[in-house]
Amino acid sequence: MATDDAAVSKGGLFIPLIDFAKFLHGTPPERAATADAILRGFQTAGFIYLKNHPIPPSVLRRAFARSADFFDQPLAAKLALGWTTPAANRGYSSPGREKVSQLRDVDEVQRERCAAPDLKESLEIGRDSDPLFANLWPAEGEGKLRGFRADMVDFFDRCKSMHEDLMRAIALGMGLGEGFFGKFVDAGDNTLRLLHYPAVKADVFQANPGQVRAGEHSDYGSVTLLFQDSRGGLQVRSPTGQFIDAAPIEGTVVINAGDLLARWSNDTIKSTVHRVVEPPRRDCVEYPPRYSIACVYAPRAQPASPVPAD
Ligand SMILES: O=C(O)CCC(=O)C(=O)O
Ligand SMILES: [Fe+2]
């Protein structure tokens, strides 16, 4: 059965490759089997790969091209859209600014940032209609970034809709009503995260064995959709503690459960640690840039209806 295909099977880590169309358009038994496979993947690996997902290749190609156009701007233009506060969590973070980590102590994070800064830059985009926080968009102008905002809002909405489908599958797999999570996730208080790992000399990794493109961490939300280009470097921690390559597979999206879903499921679902490292070693002086797009889902910031007093 398609749901038993492995995207990754190594070192005790089995990440299933699942046909999402069987959940979206299948017969009731196909939908149920696919929902079970999705839930099992999150319970065992914390990660799944989905094929035949609803975001068309042309839309993805466009999102990646627009992301490259954004990062291609002069640094000063990007810094003008600088990330400000965790509450807003919007805007641009220049290389070396963000260090993803499992550490909780700010001084320890700072030491890790100095020893092995994440070799990446990012743009965080939140719900565009949020009444509290505004996205930081490049000026529309006539250049390459014309239409950037409209394209990103469209991509954001497509990811939101896919997230709602996924939460329906998880609820079905858990034996709950399909709509169980609906009222928690329908606001779309999510974060679209454009990531660019600039070209880097191979000897940077050789000179510093702790050097990474993104440090080891778990994600904070319910699930993260992760679209990656063909460069490689994403690794997922296996149940025995080894980091295993989660290589790109054309036409698929990698999805991982985050801390919130682990909490919601009483830790039956795993929020698994992952990182981005030196790409598969090859004979080159410089590794090319890598782009990825992560959509991190969070529950609605405000309750859907007033919470009863007691
Ligand atoms: O770029 C990647 O492949 C991973 C990014 C990631 O894990 C994150 O931003 O949370
Ligand atoms: Fe992550």
Side-chain angles (χ1 to χ4, degrees):
M1 197 161 74
T3 48
D4 287 329
D5 289 347
V8 176
S9 181
K10 199 177 165 194
L13 180 70
F14 179 88
I15 304 182
L17 172 58
I18 298 169
D19 184 349
F20 201 39
K22 290 211 162 88
F23 177 75
L24 295 177
H25 314 296
T27 60
E30 281 172 338
R31 299 188 76 234
T34 308
D36 282 350
I38 289 173
L39 181 62
R40 211 168 39 244
F42 287 140
Q43 288 169 334
T44 53
F47 271 76
I48 60 174
Y49 282 52
L50 289 186
K51 64 180 178 182
N52 297 325
H53 60 76
I55 304 193
S58 58
V59 170
L60 268 171
R61 272 196 302 277
R62 189 164 177 83
F64 272 83
R66 308 265 40 202
S67 170
D69 289 341
F70 176 83
F71 290 114
D72 217 20
Q73 295 179 96
L75 183 62
K78 293 183 281 186
L79 286 174
L81 308 175
W83 187 97
T84 49
T85 64
N89 193 26
R90 286 149 199 259
Y92 171 72
S93 296
S94 53
R97 174 145 195 218
E98 182 189 84
K99 176 75 202 168
V100 282
S101 163
Q102 292 299 84
L103 297 171
R104 284 160 183 239
D105 180 89
V106 281
D107 294 332
E108 278 184 69
V109 175
Q110 184 52 13
R111 272 197 293 280
E112 197 168 284
R113 193 199 320 273
C114 292
D118 283 2
L119 303 176
K120 66 172 202 279
E121 54 181 345
S122 63
L123 179 71
E124 317 288 317
I125 299 167
R127 173 159 69 93
D128 212 33
S129 58
D130 189 323
L132 289 181
F133 302 108
N135 280 320
L136 299 169
W137 297 111
E140 195 55 16
E142 288 302 317
K144 282 204 290 190
L145 288 170
R146 189 177 163 75
F148 178 83
R149 176 179 185 167
D151 283 342
M152 286 304 153
V153 169
D154 172 68
F155 192 74
F156 186 100
D157 290 345
R158 289 172 187 269
C159 289
K160 172 179 184 284
S161 156
M162 184 169 166
H163 176 232
E164 287 166 1
D165 292 334
L166 259 168
M167 294 311 292
R168 271 195 281 279
I170 292 168
L172 188 64
M174 286 178 154
L176 303 166
E178 261 187 58
F180 182 83
F181 291 110
K183 64 179 180 299
F184 304 112
V185 300
D186 58 355
D189 287 327
N190 308 320
T191 301
L192 181 63
R193 191 163 148 75
L194 307 184
L195 288 151
H196 171 221
Y197 302 86
V200 53
K201 297 261 185 290
D203 61 14
V204 169
F205 294 101
Q206 279 130 41
N208 182 0
Q211 184 62 65
V212 286
R213 271 178 153 173
E216 53 185 84
H217 68 282
S218 62
D219 290 355
Y220 56 82
S222 53
V223 293
T224 302
L225 300 188
L226 179 65
F227 299 96
Q228 49 173 335
D229 69 13
S230 60
R231 303 296 187 202
L234 175 66
Q235 292 189 326
V236 174
R237 197 165 70 187
S238 76
T240 56
Q242 285 167 271
F243 277 98
I244 307 290
D245 290 332
I249 301 177
E250 178 78 33
T252 68
V253 52
V254 176
I255 300 173
N256 61 295
D259 300 347
L260 176 73
L261 194 54
R263 180 74 182 83
W264 275 354
S265 70
N266 277 338
D267 286 324
T268 55
I269 283 176
K270 290 184 182 164
S271 174
T272 302
V273 168
H274 51 286
R275 65 185 188 182
V276 182
V277 296
E278 177 176 5
R281 180 75 59 93
R282 54 177 207 192
D283 197 14
C284 66
V285 175
E286 185 174 270
Y287 292 112
R290 174 176 186 267
Y291 292 87
S292 66
I293 302 179
C295 195
V296 185
Y297 293 110
R300 54 164 53 249
Q302 305 296 329
S305 50
V307 179
D310 47 26

